Amino acid sequence: MINLINAMIFSPVQLVVIILLSVVLVGFVVLDVVFGVTLRLKAERKLYDDDLQSRREALLNKLEYIRAGGTAETHTWLDFVQYEENEDDADDEENETEQSTVRFVEAPTYDGVSAEKWQAPLNTEILCVDELSPQLRRKLAMRAKRHNGKMFYVRYSLGFEARLCYADDETKVRYMELMDYIKSFEGVSVINGFASQRICVDKNTIAMILFSGKKMCVSLALDPSIYKNTKYRGEDKSDTKRFAKTPMFVRIYSDVKLDKIKYLIDELAKKNNLQQGEIKQGVYDLSERTREEMILSGNVRVIIVQDVPDFVARQILAEKQANGSTAVNAVNFDEEVDDDNDTEVQDDAEEATVLAEVETDAKSDEFSAEIADDDTQTMQDDAAATTTEK
């Protein structure tokens, strides 16, 4: 019957022509898609290459400046911050356990390496135990008898509060505005953790505020697929253990993003039957503090990469003596420990806890790497979405 109808409407030649045109049309569509994807990949690669080139030129300019007799930039301890933490570990979730302020990692040994061939671990600074205050030595479990005269190559791990205190002013303003908005809902509590702040209702986590590198982010207990094709879309982190309860992940890098987060918080409020009250301006102490203050408060952790070799330590001590610099804290700390046996016993317990928590430096931060790779594309998508909305 169908063949009869086709024979009445189209001749064989016409059918062949229609089929050929359909094939050609499909081919054009496929080529268009391939061409679009290729252009997009080339554009991303160009952005990446331009960024690398700009960094290379900046480094070369600094090198030429130093060679011409200029003074190299002075580094601070913040230049040795290690942002790569294992985001899959749920240390700041409901079952968070207290961790030590100091962490040891495994690193290549220097046995048999000559002074001429020795190279210090990348992105580390030297921490001299004798130059630390007694309070900081006790916090780091640096015992007098065992650690006097010791030097270590270290990096630092910043907690949420530390990253917030050292963030730019725009990030601080957005954080305060966001927290005022969140606290306006009745029944909401904020629980502070080392790596994040959890927003809870009846002990259930409905959102987390955290940092990825230097960028403030929010993860929410919403289904990312519902908002996938809207301007409120976020990244789906449901496959990551840490974000199993809050899979919708959004980075806040503009005021527009902050407004979208507020809308998503309203969605959370409806989902949990929360009533919003008056938005009151809170008081927040986000002032920068010293390294010692941050470590003593537990907002910065020290990552000990490895011991400083004896020949390097001797060279450092010689330079300090030539400059008239002496370390006096070792003597003060010795006297303090000798006068207080209970404190020494407590230090032993702390040191035993530290040594039991040895970790390897080979653990990678897949989450931070994934976010860093997606930054450019997300910003492009948001810009395109904003243009469409306008």
Side-chain angles (χ1 to χ4, degrees):
M1 184 67 180
I2 296 176
N3 293 334
L4 180 61
I5 294 175
N6 290 337
M8 294 175 59
I9 298 176
F10 301 106
S11 66
V13 176
Q14 291 175 328
L15 288 175
V16 172
V17 172
I18 292 174
I19 293 173
L20 291 176
L21 290 176
S22 301
V23 172
V24 172
L25 180 61
V26 171
F28 274 117
V29 172
V30 172
L31 288 176
D32 184 61
V33 172
V34 172
F35 184 70
V37 172
T38 303
L39 287 180
R40 178 178 174 180
L41 293 176
K42 285 185 177 180
E44 292 178 357
R45 172 55 63 180
K46 187 176 185 304
L47 287 174
Y48 180 73
D49 291 342
D50 290 344
D51 181 57
L52 288 180
Q53 182 64 24
S54 62
R55 293 182 183 182
R56 180 177 180 273
E57 291 177 355
L59 291 174
L60 290 175
N61 291 335
K62 289 182 180 179
L63 181 60
E64 290 297 328
Y65 174 74
I66 295 174
R67 286 177 175 175
T71 304
E73 296 180 2
T74 303
H75 288 288
T76 67
W77 68 277
L78 289 173
D79 294 321
F80 306 100
V81 169
Q82 177 174 299
Y83 289 103
E84 295 78 16
E85 295 181 6
N86 193 348
E87 301 288 349
D88 294 342
D89 291 339
D91 291 331
D92 58 336
E93 292 295 328
E94 289 86 350
N95 57 349
E96 178 179 3
T97 57
E98 184 177 356
Q99 290 194 1
S100 174
T101 307
V102 63
R103 177 160 63 93
F104 292 86
V105 298
E106 293 181 0
T109 61
Y110 46 83
D111 295 338
V113 179
S114 63
E116 294 76 13
K117 295 183 178 180
W118 166 252
Q119 290 184 349
L122 294 177
N123 194 34
T124 58
E125 77 165 347
I126 295 177
L127 183 71
C128 300
V129 176
D130 290 352
E131 296 180 355
L132 303 179
S133 67
Q135 295 82 4
L136 190 54
R137 288 186 61 164
R138 180 171 293 109
K139 183 70 174 180
L140 299 177
M142 297 294 181
R143 287 285 311 283
K145 296 179 181 179
R146 179 172 298 180
H147 295 99
N148 271 354
K150 286 282 189 179
M151 298 183 187
F152 299 98
Y153 289 108
V154 301
R155 301 187 186 104
Y156 302 96
S157 174
L158 300 186
F160 175 83
E161 185 175 339
R163 297 192 191 196
L164 184 60
C165 289
Y166 294 113
D168 56 69
D169 293 337
E170 292 181 351
T171 299
K172 292 181 180 179
V173 170
R174 290 173 189 143
Y175 169 80
M176 292 187 289
E177 184 177 344
L178 177 61
M179 288 305 299
D180 290 341
Y181 193 80
I182 290 174
K183 291 180 178 179
S184 66
F185 291 92
E186 300 176 1
V188 171
S189 59
V190 180
I191 300 178
N192 296 322
F194 176 78
S196 68
Q197 285 185 330
R198 290 190 290 117
I199 313 303
C200 300
V201 175
D202 296 332
K203 297 183 179 180
N204 295 321
T205 302
I206 63 172
M208 284 198 304
I209 306 176
L210 64 154
F211 276 85
S212 170
K214 298 182 180 180
K215 188 174 297 180
M216 186 170 66
C217 311
V218 177
S219 63
L220 308 106
L222 294 173
D223 186 357
S225 62
I226 298 178
Y227 306 92
K228 184 177 181 180
N229 297 320
T230 69
K231 63 181 180 180
Y232 304 105
R233 64 187 176 277
E235 298 176 48
D236 187 354
K237 298 295 179 185
S238 56
D239 293 335
T240 305
K241 178 181 177 181
R242 185 182 184 187
F243 303 103
K245 297 180 180 179
T246 55
M248 187 164 180
F249 188 88
V250 183
R251 291 183 293 273
I252 305 176
Y253 48 79
S254 66
D255 293 336
V256 174
K257 272 292 185 182
L258 180 60
D259 292 337
K260 293 178 180 179
I261 287 292
K262 290 181 180 179
Y263 172 82
L264 294 174
I265 291 174
D266 291 339
E267 295 287 290
L268 273 178
K270 295 177 183 178
K271 181 179 178 181
N272 293 275
N273 299 318
L274 302 177
Q275 299 297 323
Q276 187 176 20
E278 180 184 359
I279 301 178
K280 299 180 180 180
Q281 186 173 1
V283 178
Y284 306 92
D285 182 13
L286 304 181
S287 58
E288 294 185 6
R289 294 161 222 170
T290 64
R291 178 189 65 174
E292 180 169 341
E293 290 173 338
M294 282 295 185
I295 295 176
L296 290 176
S297 63
N299 294 309
V300 170
R301 292 173 180 167
V302 179
I303 304 173
I304 295 181
V305 178
Q306 67 184 74
D307 296 2
V308 174
D310 292 338
F311 54 81
V312 177
R314 287 194 296 268
Q315 181 180 356
I316 294 175
L317 289 176
E319 293 176 355
K320 289 181 178 294
Q321 291 176 357
N323 295 330
S325 174
T326 57
V328 297
N329 290 329
V331 177
N332 295 338
F333 190 73
D334 278 340
E335 295 173 354
E336 183 174 341
V337 173
D338 291 338
D339 293 340
D340 192 351
N341 292 330
D342 293 337
T343 301
E344 185 171 346
V345 173
Q346 180 181 357
D347 290 340
D348 283 334
E350 290 179 357
E351 185 176 5
T353 302
V354 171
L355 295 176
E357 294 180 355
V358 176
E359 298 180 31
T360 63
D361 199 25
K363 290 184 178 180
S364 61
D365 182 21
E366 298 178 359
F367 165 76
S368 295
E370 178 184 348
I371 290 179
D373 292 339
D374 293 343
D375 274 348
T376 303
Q377 185 57 42
T378 302
M379 296 180 67
Q380 290 176 348
D381 293 343
D382 288 337
T386 303
T387 304
T388 305
E389 292 165 16
K390 291 182 179 180

